Amino acid sequence: MANSAALPTMLSFSAPDLREQIEALPEGTALIGISTTGRAITVDLDTESPHVLVCTATGGGSTTMLRSLTAQFLHQGAHALVLDPKRISHLWAKSLPTMTHRGNIAGIHDAQVHLAAELERRLDLEGDLDDVPRLIGAVDEANTTLRQLARYWETFRQKDDPKTSPAVAALEEVLWVGRAARIHVIFDGRPQATVLEGPAHELFATVILARFTADTWQRLAPMAGPTPKQHLHPGRFHVVQQDTTHETQAVLMTDADIVNWLTAPTD
């Protein structure tokens, strides 16, 4: 895969040498895919990007991207919390011991409140995190999830309770200080000021886009220049890092690929 001519139309996890390439990556680094110039495009949670933003139109592959990145970090020993408001997009996560899968809004709310407590616990360790596993928060359909959390909080919020949902506040806090606690967010959606306070999109040093509008590009990746021409080929994304755009064919991991890999890694 040294040049664009060699780039396959689908980059399957089962492709020759790809699994070995992924397993050779250092801890905290995951392979997004291979660019049209033949370069391996990765995300490094420690030195480059504590959080990852994925934004696509329906059918653009965001669920596949969340699944692939989360699985790679799990293979490295991370734990993960997957918020799956559709309830069926990440069923693979239910069979893995280091995964927490939540689909209904009450469960998502409680999981986020527990996440806030875990963040505080880790921050109290003051950097002594050698024995603490990395924690990945994968938020599918994030805009819908956050709106539902806000409405859910309103159903039982008391007069003296904060106006902002504690579940939403937990996500905001993790976005701001999660790196120090080895907690990282993979956010599927378009951060909106009406739900998340402050310039939330600036907290994502890696932005992965597909089937985007010109307005979405200018809001989420203005530093990368004019809106590029899109290719609607399945699995094709534009990855923006450090003001540079890489057109990239993403790694495809099926549910079966992930479960087999994480439960029988020598197969």
Side-chain angles (χ1 to χ4, degrees):
M1 292 179 287
N3 53 57
S4 59
L7 185 67
T9 56
M10 182 177 71
L11 196 63
S12 172
F13 178 66
S14 60
D17 301 325
L18 185 61
R19 173 169 167 172
E20 290 78 6
Q21 181 179 352
I22 289 173
E23 292 178 341
L25 292 171
E27 194 271 339
T29 302
L31 181 66
I32 299 171
I34 304 299
S35 75
T36 52
T37 61
R39 176 181 172 184
I41 305 301
T42 63
V43 56
D44 185 334
L45 298 179
D46 291 323
T47 63
E48 296 176 357
S49 178
H51 311 297
V52 180
L53 175 62
V54 182
C55 185
T56 77
T58 301
S62 59
T63 296
T64 300
M65 181 63 68
L66 262 67
R67 184 171 59 210
S68 171
L69 295 179
T70 301
Q72 291 182 62
F73 294 125
L74 286 170
H75 183 265
Q76 298 168 4
H79 293 190
L81 167 64
V82 173
L83 306 184
D84 180 13
K86 289 184 177 178
R87 305 194 186 196
I88 59 172
S89 297
H90 295 279
L91 294 180
W92 60 272
K94 291 189 171 185
S95 62
L96 301 172
T98 56
M99 287 288 308
T100 299
H101 175 279
R102 295 290 181 266
N104 68 78
I105 200 63
I108 290 174
H109 173 92
D110 291 346
Q112 287 295 101
V113 171
H114 291 151
L115 178 63
E118 175 63 9
L119 174 65
E120 188 66 24
R121 184 188 74 83
R122 291 181 177 216
L123 291 175
D124 286 343
L125 295 174
E126 297 181 347
D128 186 14
L129 298 169
D130 291 344
D131 297 324
V132 178
R134 191 184 301 276
L135 178 57
I136 305 297
V139 189
D140 209 345
E141 299 284 347
N143 297 85
T144 297
T145 300
L146 293 173
R147 286 194 296 269
Q148 289 178 345
L149 285 171
R151 288 197 297 267
Y152 178 75
W153 176 238
E154 285 299 321
T155 63
F156 60 86
R157 181 174 71 89
Q158 301 300 306
K159 179 180 179 181
D160 295 330
D161 287 336
K163 183 176 180 180
T164 299
S165 158
V168 175
L171 178 60
E172 293 175 343
E173 190 69 11
V174 167
L175 287 173
W176 285 106
V177 300
R179 184 202 291 269
R182 285 169 57 86
I183 302 179
H184 310 273
V185 175
I186 306 175
F187 185 104
D188 164 31
R190 177 172 165 170
Q192 297 178 348
T194 55
V195 181
L196 291 176
E197 295 182 359
H201 67 278
E202 297 179 4
L203 301 174
F204 301 96
T206 294
V207 179
I208 305 173
L209 301 167
R211 300 188 184 183
F212 46 83
T213 65
D215 178 66
T216 294
W217 180 269
Q218 290 305 316
R219 287 179 64 89
L220 300 182
M223 62 290 190
T227 306
K229 179 181 178 181
Q230 298 186 65
H231 295 277
L232 299 182
H233 182 79
R236 191 64 57 88
F237 291 82
H238 283 77
V239 181
V240 181
Q241 295 175 321
Q242 298 181 346
D243 302 348
T244 302
T245 303
H246 308 278
E247 187 180 343
T248 301
Q249 187 67 32
V251 175
L252 172 62
M253 291 185 180
T254 66
D255 288 10
D257 285 336
I258 293 173
V259 173
N260 291 338
W261 187 38
L262 297 179
T263 59
T266 59
D267 289 351

